Amino acid sequence: MQFKWNYKTPTPEESQAAKELGEKLNINPVLAQLLIRRGIHTESAAKRFFRPQLADLINPFLMKDMDVAVDRLNDAMGRKERILVYGDYDVDGCTAVALVYKFLQQFYSNIDYYIPDRYDEGYGVSKKGLEYAAATGVKLIIILDCGIKAIEEITLAKTLGIDFIICDHHVPDEVMPPAVAILNPKREDDSYPFKHLCGCGVGFKFMQAFAKNNGIPFSKLIPLLDFCAVSIAADLVPVTEENRILAFHGLKQLNQSPSIGLKSIIEVCGLSGREISMSDIMFKIGPRINASGRIENGKETVDLLVERDFNTALKAARHIDEYNEQRKDIDKQMTVEANQIVEKLESQKHHSSIVLYDENWKKGVIGIVASRLTEIYVRPTVVLTRDGDFATGSARSVAGFDIYSAIKSCRDLLVNFGGHTYAAGLTIRWSDIHAFRTRFQQYVDEHIHPEQIEPLLDIDAVIDFKDITKRLQNDLKKFSPFGPDNEKPLFCTIGVYDYGTSKVVGREQEHIKLELVDSKSSTVVNGIAFGQSAAARYIKSKRSFDIAYSIEENIFKRNQVQLLIEDIRPSEEDI
């Protein structure tokens, strides 16, 4: 992939401000510049950024309907009603269910949880789920990470004598379900100051409010913050403001004293004994939690997350790991097939979006395939598969483009849809696929900016190898946890050379392990460039080249810096 490098040279005013802020904080001016570009200009704001405090969490009762939700939960517990905690089958939904169930179970025993089967019931509130609730005497359902569009189903539930409290973060429609309370910061009539909580985050705020109302110490909630960190990382919500606080302390909990279920997954992932980061959650922990719902039933994941015995949990984690291996095989095959379709469809190449469908693709993996294609082709992508007379699909977007609005523009063709800016799901009639593709692509063509569909690397700073010190590395750690809107800083060094020992590695010789020097120091710096073996010949030609990279700690050699190289290009090109 040919990236365009985007770097804005600091203005004299920015450089002076960075110098002054760096002196006050005793950090490198380069990193002070990163703070300024994140909108952090003062010493006090920087200290809040570097040391997020749980005391700064927003009052949960500022969320619309929170008082009503807490009152209804109190009433249910006072009347000894049966409560069902219901959630989506993805990471966000499963962690949200585990968090709410584990917290309430400490104080109340007449409680159960339910995860719908992706293949048998589909997304959200299902008829089968309501039948289960009615048959087991449930009077209150707390639904997490879904439910905001379940008007028909929640109306039916009312006739069965079942109330709903919705905890969701997906964009609501103008008309919302007849639930007792709807907790969703994206409601137009909600003035909650932070709009980007994940489903698990909304569940946490509900439990925070319940605890506050009932005089339960906040310390009782802290052991559940690891679920919040996992959910924030996996659901790709902005890691800013309240999410940054939850993620920061959730990672601390995950590293120091994780729940039994998460501890077993950490063991199976091979992460035991090392510091777990947001990227470890995204690429190792999250996919395993997701795998159960993708291949079989997500309830197995919640069973694991709430398990109290480590040996039982470890056995379950190994079973879910097997699902993940199956998922990877299916994912790989479907991605190959989807790439072949894209390459054959000349018309797709001229569009600013991709819409693909196949009757035989597995419903549980199409979201991953949509993500893969979005990364490869830098296009908003919809991938659909057949479900009887209908097509169900997943959509993923590129930076800055609202794919939810694009899908919503075709709502007269949709049976159901939901999501947010960068990810959405939809159901349409199989016979309407071609009409949907035309309308969706037309909307994208009219609303997307050209720079949004070209591979772009935003360079934070241009530095030399002599600048990569242990102190710089330690100061960089203070910027974590990383994620959307707080990406890992990307650096660039101009005019580097192969030290003579770089080599192609990997099972298929697809990566390059690099040992590099630049023209301003004799320091040899190690790096790894995944999937960039095509650049090996140029590197070995003894000509200079430029690299864009993030700075990592080598997990195999403690205290040694390693560059994770995103792109390599000849030095003649302009930055």
Side-chain angles (χ1 to χ4, degrees):
M1 184 182 293
Q2 189 68 42
F3 285 101
K4 178 182 178 182
W5 293 13
N6 179 41
Y7 173 67
K8 294 179 181 176
T9 305
T11 64
E13 292 78 15
E14 285 176 331
S15 295
Q16 182 59 32
K19 182 175 181 292
E20 291 173 3
L21 185 60
E23 287 171 355
K24 288 177 183 176
L25 297 171
N26 193 29
I27 63 171
N28 190 306
V30 169
L31 300 185
Q33 183 68 55
L34 299 187
L35 287 174
I36 287 170
R37 289 194 168 172
R38 282 163 168 73
I40 298 165
H41 299 274
T42 65
E43 186 178 0
S44 59
K47 286 180 178 176
R48 285 195 303 273
F49 177 78
F50 286 142
R51 293 193 289 273
Q53 300 295 313
L54 288 170
D56 290 334
L57 288 172
I58 299 165
N59 179 354
F61 286 100
L62 293 179
M63 193 177 293
K64 179 81 173 175
D65 278 2
M66 186 63 82
D67 53 344
V68 181
V70 170
D71 286 347
R72 180 64 185 90
L73 178 55
N74 283 334
D75 288 345
M77 294 170 79
R79 294 196 292 256
K80 301 193 185 319
E81 293 177 348
R82 187 153 182 79
I83 298 170
L84 185 67
V85 184
Y86 189 119
D88 189 21
Y89 35 64
D90 68 357
V91 177
D92 194 13
C94 289
T95 52
V97 167
L99 185 151
V100 171
Y101 177 79
K102 281 189 75 172
F103 185 69
L104 292 180
Q105 197 187 35
Q106 298 174 81
F107 315 103
Y108 191 70
S109 60
N110 194 14
I111 186 169
D112 192 8
Y113 57 86
Y114 189 90
I115 303 291
D117 185 288
R118 184 192 294 262
Y119 298 97
D120 184 36
E121 300 168 70
Y123 173 79
V125 184
S126 70
K127 185 179 178 183
K128 186 175 178 180
L130 291 178
E131 289 172 350
Y132 174 83
T136 54
V138 168
K139 294 298 179 185
L140 175 64
I141 294 178
I142 300 169
I143 187 163
L144 297 136
D145 193 34
C146 54
I148 197 65
K149 295 197 172 186
I151 295 173
E152 185 179 327
E153 294 83 359
I154 292 177
T155 302
L156 172 61
K158 286 189 74 172
T159 68
L160 299 172
I162 300 170
D163 284 340
F164 267 79
I165 294 172
I166 297 173
C167 302
D168 206 349
H169 70 123
H170 297 99
V171 180
D173 270 342
E174 290 77 12
V175 178
M176 292 187 292
V180 170
I182 298 175
L183 307 178
N184 187 332
K186 290 192 176 78
R187 286 178 62 165
E188 286 192 4
D189 59 349
D190 194 327
S191 57
Y192 192 75
F194 185 65
K195 301 297 181 184
H196 303 293
L197 292 168
C198 58
C200 187
V202 178
F204 179 84
K205 298 304 294 186
F206 184 20
M207 293 301 95
Q208 184 189 2
F210 172 80
K212 192 172 185 178
N213 180 261
N214 287 279
I216 299 167
F218 184 83
S219 58
K220 288 276 190 182
L221 286 160
I222 291 175
L224 302 167
L225 286 170
D226 53 3
F227 292 134
C228 288
V230 168
S231 186
I232 288 166
D235 218 53
L236 296 175
V237 290
V239 186
T240 58
E241 300 179 52
E242 191 160 44
N243 278 343
R244 180 170 173 81
I245 299 171
L246 293 171
F248 181 91
H249 290 278
L251 275 177
K252 186 177 177 182
Q253 185 70 25
L254 192 65
N255 279 290
Q256 293 178 359
S257 183
S259 68
I260 294 295
L262 288 174
K263 185 178 179 181
S264 68
I265 297 173
I266 290 166
E267 177 79 22
V268 166
C269 289
L271 293 173
S272 295
R274 51 166 284 197
E275 187 175 355
I276 296 166
S277 67
M278 296 290 270
S279 61
D280 289 324
I281 297 172
M282 287 174 59
F283 297 112
K284 293 191 175 182
I285 297 172
R288 284 168 173 82
I289 293 175
N290 252 335
S292 180
R294 293 189 188 282
I295 303 298
E296 287 294 332
N297 190 303
K299 186 175 184 297
E300 288 186 51
T301 294
V302 181
D303 293 341
L304 167 60
L305 293 177
V306 302
E307 180 56 56
R308 296 177 180 179
D309 178 73
F310 181 70
N311 289 329
T312 304
L314 191 58
K315 184 177 178 181
R318 286 171 178 153
H319 186 54
I320 283 174
D321 192 50
E322 292 172 8
Y323 287 149
N324 192 50
E325 291 303 313
Q326 293 177 45
R327 187 272 307 167
K328 285 195 283 189
D329 290 341
I330 295 166
D331 164 23
K332 188 174 182 180
Q333 180 58 35
M334 285 175 57
T335 303
V336 168
E337 292 173 11
N339 275 325
Q340 289 172 345
I341 294 171
V342 172
E343 288 167 6
K344 287 177 183 176
L345 292 173
E346 286 294 322
S347 61
Q348 294 275 346
K349 295 179 182 177
H350 304 294
H351 282 290
S352 52
S353 64
I354 294 171
V355 179
L356 296 181
Y357 59 93
D358 189 286
E359 292 192 26
N360 300 312
W361 285 341
K362 197 169 178 68
K363 194 191 299 186
V365 191
I366 54 176
I368 300 173
V369 175
S371 295
R372 296 272 189 278
L373 294 177
T374 302
E375 291 168 10
I376 294 167
Y377 295 101
V378 199
R379 299 285 189 276
T381 300
V382 179
V383 178
L384 299 149
T385 188
R386 189 158 194 158
D387 186 5
D389 292 332
F390 300 97
T392 59
S394 286
R396 298 292 184 270
S397 194
V398 294
F401 182 77
D402 186 350
I403 203 163
Y404 177 84
S405 295
I407 290 170
K408 187 178 179 181
S409 73
C410 309
R411 67 181 309 157
D412 56 300
L413 296 173
L414 305 174
V415 176
N416 197 8
F417 73 105
H420 42 81
T421 303
Y422 292 120
L426 65 153
T427 302
I428 60 176
R429 296 190 180 280
W430 187 259
S431 56
D432 286 337
I433 286 179
H434 293 289
F436 169 78
R437 172 191 269 171
T438 300
R439 291 262 301 279
F440 177 81
Q441 291 183 334
Q442 182 180 348
Y443 180 95
V444 177
D445 286 343
E446 291 172 356
H447 291 84
I448 204 161
H449 300 296
E451 62 271 19
Q452 290 175 315
I453 55 174
E454 63 178 346
L456 191 69
L457 287 180
D458 287 316
I459 308 295
D460 288 288
V462 178
I463 62 175
D464 300 320
F465 284 169
K466 63 180 172 57
D467 299 317
I468 305 175
T469 61
K470 187 63 183 174
R471 183 182 171 192
L472 179 80
Q473 187 183 0
N474 288 335
D475 285 344
L476 269 176
K477 287 181 180 178
K478 297 175 185 176
F479 281 75
S480 66
F482 298 112
D485 293 352
N486 185 42
E487 302 286 352
K488 189 170 289 187
L490 198 64
F491 300 100
C492 164
T493 299
I494 305 296
V496 306
Y497 298 85
D498 175 28
Y499 184 62
T501 48
S502 299
K503 59 184 178 181
V504 175
V505 296
R507 186 178 299 174
E508 298 176 16
Q509 299 285 284
E510 68 272 41
H511 315 308
I512 315 175
K513 189 174 185 302
L514 296 140
E515 292 188 330
L516 305 171
V517 292
D518 68 4
S519 57
K520 297 184 181 178
S521 74
S522 57
T523 304
V524 180
V525 178
N526 294 304
I528 183 76
F530 292 112
Q532 297 183 59
S533 58
R537 182 174 293 181
Y538 187 90
I539 289 168
K540 286 295 183 183
S541 71
K542 300 189 185 304
R543 287 178 287 178
S544 70
F545 51 96
D546 307 335
I547 54 171
Y549 56 90
S550 58
I551 298 172
E552 314 280 337
E553 183 175 85
N554 190 324
I555 60 172
F556 301 108
K557 296 178 180 178
R558 287 290 175 89
N559 298 318
Q560 188 178 99
V561 169
Q562 176 175 265
L563 309 185
L564 183 58
I565 297 172
E566 297 290 336
D567 198 26
I568 300 167
R569 68 181 196 179
S571 289
E572 301 86 67
E573 298 182 33
D574 292 329
I575 184 171

